[in-house]
Amino acid sequence: MAAMTPTAPDTVEAGTSGAAPRASARRPRPRPHPRVWRGAVLALAGAYFLTPLIASFVFTVHVPGQGISFEAYTELLAADGFTESLLLSLGLAAATIALSLLLAVPALIAVRIGSPRLRPVVEVVCMLPLVVPPIALVTGITTVLRWGPEHLSRTPLYQTFLAVQNEDFPVVLVLAYTVLALPFVYRSLDAGLRAIDVPTLVEAARSCGASWPHVVLRVLLPNLRASLAGAAFLTLALVLGEFTIASLLGFRPFAVWIVSISGAQARMSVAVSILSLVITWLLLLLLSRAGTNSATVSVAPATSRKES
């Protein structure tokens, strides 16, 4: 035992001194800075998206034999049907956004608070439009609309069938677009509800004496502002670009009008497409600014009123 005691530190010191040069010799290799890769990816993505737009813009302003001309843009506002189709699409988009949010927001809040077990059922129902193709949906809508003159001509419902097909504002397109927008609205709102503690917020507001409308409008909706803006933008983009249902039903919103003039006025149709992208981007910026504003929940005033 006495002989082994002095040799143990020598062994440890030798091993330590031998390992030190090896550790100092192995230095980690410098990794490339992540900002370089981010810049490269952003540059490639920008080139991928901007190159077709630049080529389309050059096609609209360059006339062979004449040089640069902006006639495709100057004659756009005076084109037959441009203003009517654009206003119709914007009106349909606003109505679809309002109806989709009125259907989805109360349902998802109720499921989140009262019946979490029904969430898979609601998710499957909202995702069904992704499975059903638009051509099948418009075929079913056309079959239902034929019931009016065939079976309901002598009932008060016949006027309802005529009203939903009014060319000035076709309500049937709003109903069809609401069905198509449900998956996107559901995903956006579900992500927002998962990010906040809904039961705690509701319990705190209710304990302060707030009513259910006050809880939804003043407590939950301000915290879902970003999700509501995202759902509104996705619905807007869907309505502005939808062609199949409107064309087969015989209506003429903005997307159908662009296709109708593409054969006779190719440059003007491309100019209108670029203009629609610019309008969509501007609305996206407005909705993103509305969604990123700070949301405040006014629970403290209710507490003070209750205590007073």
Side-chain angles (χ1 to χ4, degrees), residues 41-100:
V41 171
L42 290 177
L44 290 177
Y48 178 79
F49 286 105
L50 293 178
T51 301
L53 294 179
I54 296 174
S56 300
F57 179 75
V58 171
F59 172 76
T60 58
V61 299
H62 179 68
V63 181
Q66 298 181 7
I68 303 299
S69 176
F70 292 91
E71 293 181 357
Y73 296 94
T74 56
E75 298 177 357
L76 187 59
L77 297 177
D80 185 19
F82 168 74
T83 306
E84 293 79 3
S85 61
L86 180 59
L87 293 178
L88 177 60
S89 293
L90 293 178
L92 292 174
T96 304
I97 291 171
L99 183 58
S100 301

Side-chain angles (χ1 to χ4, degrees), residues 168-300:
D168 295 334
F169 191 81
V171 181
V172 63
L173 287 183
V174 176
L175 301 177
Y177 292 161
T178 302
V179 174
L180 294 179
L182 274 180
F184 309 104
V185 175
Y186 172 81
R187 283 303 182 191
S188 180
L189 294 178
D190 184 66
L193 289 173
R194 286 173 175 269
I196 61 176
D197 193 355
V198 177
T200 302
L201 290 175
V202 172
E203 184 179 357
R206 293 289 292 172
S207 63
C208 294
S211 60
W212 278 108
H214 181 88
V215 171
V216 175
L217 297 177
R218 301 294 299 276
V219 177
L220 295 181
L221 291 186
N223 289 279
L224 297 175
R225 188 173 299 176
S227 299
L228 294 174
F233 171 72
L234 292 175
T235 306
L236 174 66
L238 173 67
V239 174
L240 290 180
E242 204 285 323
F243 172 80
T244 304
I245 296 178
S247 178
L248 293 179
L249 290 180
F251 301 106
R252 201 183 186 192
F254 196 51
V256 179
W257 181 82
I258 293 176
V259 176
S260 64
I261 68 169
S262 60
Q265 299 174 339
R267 286 186 174 83
M268 184 176 292
S269 65
V270 176
V272 172
S273 301
I274 296 175
L275 181 62
S276 65
L277 288 176
V278 173
I279 293 174
T280 305
W281 286 345
L282 292 177
L283 293 174
L284 170 61
L285 292 177
L286 293 177
L287 292 175
S288 62
R289 290 292 297 273
T292 54
N293 289 335
S294 59
T296 57
V297 181
S298 58
V299 179

